Amino acid sequence: MAFDAVIEVRSVSKRFGGLLAVNQCSLEVERGSITGLIGPNGAGKSTLFNMVAGNFPPSSGEIIFDGQDITGLKPHELFKLGMLRTFQIAHEFSNMTALENLMMVPGDQPGESLTTLWFQPKKAATREAEVRQKALDVIDFLKLGHVKNELAGNLSGGQKKLLELGRTMMVDAKIVLLDEVAAGVNKTLLNDLAANIERMNKELGYTFFVIEHDMDLIARLCDPVIVMAQGEVIAKGNMDELRANPMIVEAYFGGPVEAHA
């Protein structure tokens, strides 16, 4: 089967004044994969991730998403194309319930228009019922039923991360960018979070691109894993292969392989 890339980064560089943060990077994320991006502090991985996500444009190079050149597009434009990002710190609407948070995600709902509410109330009500049912299905999938009516601001860090993962399920995402999902999450909920990412990938066909410092989580979820150092991609493989590579151990793990087995 031919390699089917949903994201292609082609010779991308990023300069901040005199600092070259990313230098001629090229990588691909295969459709249906959970691809990890790792590297030591200062490697340029967050900068590259932010360019893919549309937070700032590359200084040179191209980024292709699902066959379309998206270089320089903004996050809201990428959202409409099917690229969604979760954040290290969850961005929930704290004074709305978990269920209401999910219902807020789909755009262009008829109920957002006063004209439609006044002149086509049935259309607005029908669409709202559809969105509500979708949100209930997502809550059921993520096993968050016990907190569906809880204000999102009262949820634990791990529950907020699950809720944010659920928000990606409310639209037809072609890829989900996961940004430090393990941050602030206890071990039990992290296991639930990882299991749900695996289920979304295997059962629903979601593609994930993951930046993460938790190597155990990367090893569990990701194949392949892309390694960056000093602004460049230096290797790609599964975690077993990378841990056996002396150059990667030196550049990333900072010591003998045995110390990180």
Side-chain angles (χ1 to χ4, degrees):
M1 183 182 295
F3 189 92
D4 182 13
V6 66
I7 286 180
E8 299 173 72
V9 174
R10 300 175 178 173
S11 301
V12 162
S13 297
K14 182 63 180 179
R15 287 187 177 274
F16 296 100
L19 173 66
L20 181 60
V22 174
N23 182 23
Q24 293 287 305
C25 273
S26 296
L27 59 82
E28 294 179 333
V29 177
E30 184 175 9
R31 196 181 310 275
S33 72
I34 305 179
T35 298
L37 180 64
I38 65 172
N41 290 334
K45 60 188 184 299
S46 293
T47 300
L48 181 63
F49 205 74
N50 276 314
M51 285 189 285
V52 171
N55 292 96
F56 40 72
S59 302
S60 61
E62 295 178 319
I63 301 172
I64 309 299
F65 173 48
D66 204 29
Q68 177 177 341
D69 188 343
I70 59 164
T71 310
L73 292 188
K74 303 297 184 184
H76 70 275
E77 295 172 310
L78 297 177
F79 177 88
K80 291 179 180 178
L81 294 176
M83 181 188 295
L84 281 72
R85 179 181 184 177
T86 69
F87 289 86
Q88 183 174 0
I89 300 173
H91 287 55
E92 76 285 347
F93 297 103
S94 2
N95 293 320
M96 300 176 72
T97 67
L99 180 62
E100 290 167 340
N101 264 263
L102 295 181
M103 292 179 66
M104 286 289 292
V105 176
D108 301 321
Q109 296 185 46
E112 295 174 357
S113 163
L114 285 176
T115 303
T116 306
L117 280 173
W118 287 338
F119 297 108
Q120 296 177 287
K122 186 175 180 181
K123 178 180 179 182
T126 299
R127 178 57 178 153
E128 182 176 352
E130 291 171 352
V131 172
R132 180 182 176 83
Q133 186 56 55
K134 173 72 171 176
L136 288 169
D137 291 343
V138 169
I139 279 175
D140 183 58
F141 183 90
L142 297 175
K143 299 181 174 63
L144 284 174
H146 59 296
V147 295
K148 70 179 179 183
N149 295 318
E150 184 68 57
L151 292 180
N154 296 337
L155 301 181
S156 70
Q159 289 169 335
K160 288 178 181 179
K161 292 290 179 73
L162 280 171
L163 182 63
E164 186 147 328
L165 192 63
R167 294 203 309 218
T168 71
M169 298 176 67
M170 291 298 297
V171 293
D172 295 324
K174 294 176 182 175
I175 190 166
V176 178
L177 309 181
L178 297 178
D179 187 355
E180 299 287 358
V181 293
V185 181
N186 68 46
K187 288 293 184 183
T188 300
L189 277 174
L190 182 57
N191 186 62
D192 290 344
L193 191 60
N196 278 298
I197 292 168
E198 289 170 330
R199 288 178 63 209
M200 288 172 67
N201 175 250
K202 291 173 183 174
E203 297 175 22
L204 305 178
Y206 275 71
T207 302
F208 292 95
F209 189 29
V210 184
I211 184 171
E212 180 57 60
H213 282 95
D214 186 320
M215 290 299 101
D216 290 335
L217 185 63
I218 285 285
R220 170 176 174 172
L221 291 177
C222 300
D223 187 6
V225 178
I226 298 166
V227 185
M228 288 186 68
Q230 298 181 332
E232 300 179 0
V233 172
I234 61 171
K236 177 180 178 180
N238 62 44
M239 282 300 292
D240 287 340
E241 293 168 342
L242 297 177
R243 282 174 165 152
N245 184 326
M247 180 181 70
I248 305 305
V249 172
E250 180 65 28
Y252 184 82
F253 298 105
V257 175
E258 292 76 15
H260 305 275

